[in-house]
């Protein structure tokens, strides 16, 4: 009897120890480094959401549209995106293209990129109707600001964040024009919906009409705002055509190309070391040489998995995620660098 009680006590102690360790790691993903009082480094502070795919359609060649439903989904505004945690663990960002007034449902659209990094291929293959999905709450780095008129410019799948903006601008009584380009009509999603707006929408399939005519951008009035989402050449052309480049708002498919990179030093305060970052490598790659468990996912400055707290030094930010306030004391290691020669990180 005494032996049985001893075995039970030992098993209970082991279970309690494992549970305490799991909690400890959850508080500080880089354990055994000390945890922060308010953890930031190494994970997203946004609580995960769980939803189910209730509809999957194909609004264009190579594009799937997914409706995700769950009770109590956070509200969002036009221009917002969500992080989608794919079954493999990859994190990818997709603009919300449904109606913000529709509660308990998000809509996203994903274009298949055969020569991409694998996220879109996985989404097309594994995000099927009925599948459960984990998300992070919406963020908006591309908000629709009030204005009497707008010029919207979309390239291909760049139409997705603009769709809710068209509805919002119409409801507000603002004047607007949409210039929508793509390879061909078959590859351009949401054309039937856009046809309902009449001559406000100008469609430019490249095989029929060439590149979009940006005359409407050049003619934008002093109170107009220009919103553009698409490939870099299109965004550069829109910015160059606008009478006031400061009135142009951009949503990128990839982070903006940084200028010439310089080497710098990262001091890792909690682990008590330093690492040199070469001109041709990222801060993330340098940190992972000495802390190989440092988490990351997208590698392009969108998901925030590699976000770290900056204790000292100026940051040259190249991400498409952090707000101005968050940039005051944080950086994404995958794309951002030191302004000068040294940064001190809470690592």
């Amino acid at each position: 009897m005494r032996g049985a009680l001893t075995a039970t006590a030992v098993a209970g102690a082991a279970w309690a120890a494992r549970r305490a360790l799991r909690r400890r790691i959850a508080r500080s993903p880089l354990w055994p480094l000390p945890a922060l009082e308010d953890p930031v480094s190494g994970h997203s502070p946004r609580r995960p959401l769980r939803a189910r795919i209730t509809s999957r359609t194909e609004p264009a060649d190579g594009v799937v549209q997914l409706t995700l439903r769950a009770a109590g989904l956070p509200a969002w505004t036009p221009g917002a995106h969500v992080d989608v945690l794919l079954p493999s663990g990859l994190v990818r960002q997709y603009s919300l293209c449904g109606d913000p007034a529709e509660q308990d449902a998000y809509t996203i659209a994903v274009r298949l990129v055969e020569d991409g990094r694998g996220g879109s291929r996985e989404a097309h293959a594994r995000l099927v109707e009925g599948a459960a999905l984990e998300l992070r709450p919406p963020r908006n780095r591309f908000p629709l600001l009030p204005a009497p008129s707008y010029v919207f410019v979309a390239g291909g799948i760049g139409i997705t964040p603009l769709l809710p903006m068209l509805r919002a601008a119409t409801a507000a009584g603002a004047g607007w024009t949409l210039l929508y380009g793509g390879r061909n009509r078959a590859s351009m999603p949401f054309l039937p919906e856009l046809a309902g707006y009449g001559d406000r929408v100008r469609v430019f399939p490249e095989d029929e009409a060439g590149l979009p005519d940006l005359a409407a951008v050049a003619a934008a009035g002093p109170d107009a705002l220009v919103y553009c989402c698409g490939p870099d050449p299109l965004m550069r052309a829109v910015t160059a055509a606008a009478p006031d480049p400061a009135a142009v708002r951009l949503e990128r498919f990839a982070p903006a190309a940084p200028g010439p990179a310089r080497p710098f030093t990262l001091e890792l305060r909690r682990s008590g070391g330093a690492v040199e970052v070469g001109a041709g490598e990222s801060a993330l790659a340098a940190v992972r040489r000495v802390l190989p468990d440092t988490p990351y996912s997208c590698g392009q400055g969108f998901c925030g998995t590699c976000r770290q707290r900056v204790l000292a030094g100026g940051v040259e930010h190249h991400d498409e995620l952090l707000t101005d306030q968050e940039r005051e004391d944080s950086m994404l290691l995958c794309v951002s660098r030191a302004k000068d020669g040294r940064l001190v990180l809470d690592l």
Side-chain angles (χ1 to χ4, degrees):
M1 185 66 174
R2 181 175 299 174
L5 291 174
T6 300
T8 300
V10 169
W15 174 84
R18 288 194 301 271
R19 184 179 182 187
L21 179 61
R22 285 196 298 269
R23 288 178 174 174
R24 182 66 180 78
I25 293 173
R27 289 197 304 270
S28 178
L30 298 179
W31 186 87
L33 298 181
L36 303 177
E37 292 182 4
D38 181 16
V40 169
S41 298
H43 65 91
S44 170
R46 295 177 289 156
R47 66 178 180 84
L49 308 170
R50 299 190 183 278
R52 190 167 298 278
I53 301 171
T54 59
S55 173
R56 171 176 165 140
T57 60
E58 298 184 8
D61 290 349
V63 177
V64 294
Q65 178 178 333
L66 305 173
T67 301
L68 318 173
R69 293 190 179 275
L73 291 176
W76 59 280
T77 54
H81 73 269
V82 291
D83 294 346
V84 175
L85 281 68
L86 297 173
S88 67
L90 290 175
V91 180
R92 292 295 182 264
Q93 294 68 44
Y94 299 110
S95 296
L96 293 168
C97 57
D99 184 352
E102 184 179 7
Q103 297 180 351
D104 302 335
Y106 291 160
T107 301
I108 61 174
V110 184
R111 181 178 295 284
L112 178 63
V113 182
E114 291 286 4
D115 59 350
R117 295 172 298 125
S120 69
R121 292 195 299 274
E122 182 178 355
H124 275 245
R126 301 184 66 179
L127 300 188
V128 298
E129 190 168 331
L133 203 57
E134 187 171 303
L135 317 168
R136 292 174 184 159
R139 294 177 66 101
N140 199 338
R141 290 278 296 173
F142 191 47
L144 182 66
L145 302 177
S149 63
Y150 303 91
V151 180
F152 299 105
V153 186
I157 199 65
I159 188 63
T160 50
L162 301 184
L163 281 178
M165 294 187 182
L166 304 183
R167 303 182 193 116
T170 301
W176 61 265
T177 298
L178 169 67
L179 311 177
Y180 182 19
R183 293 192 307 274
N184 51 55
R185 290 181 183 273
S187 70
M188 299 170 68
F190 310 114
L191 287 177
E193 176 180 342
L194 293 171
Y197 290 116
D199 59 6
R200 289 186 176 193
V201 176
R202 304 174 192 175
V203 178
F204 298 90
E206 191 170 349
D207 62 344
E208 300 175 21
L211 298 176
D213 180 355
L214 300 180
V217 175
D223 296 325
L225 293 179
V226 179
Y227 281 77
C228 178
C229 182
D232 274 344
L234 176 63
M235 291 192 288
R236 289 196 297 268
V238 167
T239 303
D244 179 9
V248 178
R249 305 290 187 272
L250 304 174
E251 174 85 324
R252 300 180 182 277
F253 292 162
R262 299 180 300 275
F264 60 97
T265 301
L266 286 175
E267 179 186 336
L268 310 180
R269 178 64 56 82
R270 281 190 286 157
S271 54
V275 61
E276 300 300 320
V277 183
E281 70 176 338
S282 68
L284 175 65
V287 167
R288 284 177 60 83
R289 288 203 304 270
V290 295
L291 295 174
D293 292 332
T294 302
Y296 72 100
S297 182
C298 77
Q300 289 196 314
F302 289 107
C303 73
T305 306
C306 67
R307 176 180 172 184
Q308 302 293 340
R309 176 169 287 169
V310 178
L311 302 179
V315 180
E316 186 181 279
H317 292 282
H318 296 290
D319 67 274
E320 297 292 330
L321 179 75
L322 299 181
T323 64
D324 291 341
Q325 182 177 0
E326 290 169 335
R327 287 181 173 185
E328 291 177 1
D329 65 356
S330 297
M331 68 179 289
L332 300 192
L333 296 183
C334 62
V335 293
S336 296
R337 307 183 68 82
K339 278 185 177 179
D340 302 311
R342 190 178 188 85
L343 284 174
V344 180
L345 299 183
D346 183 49
L347 266 173

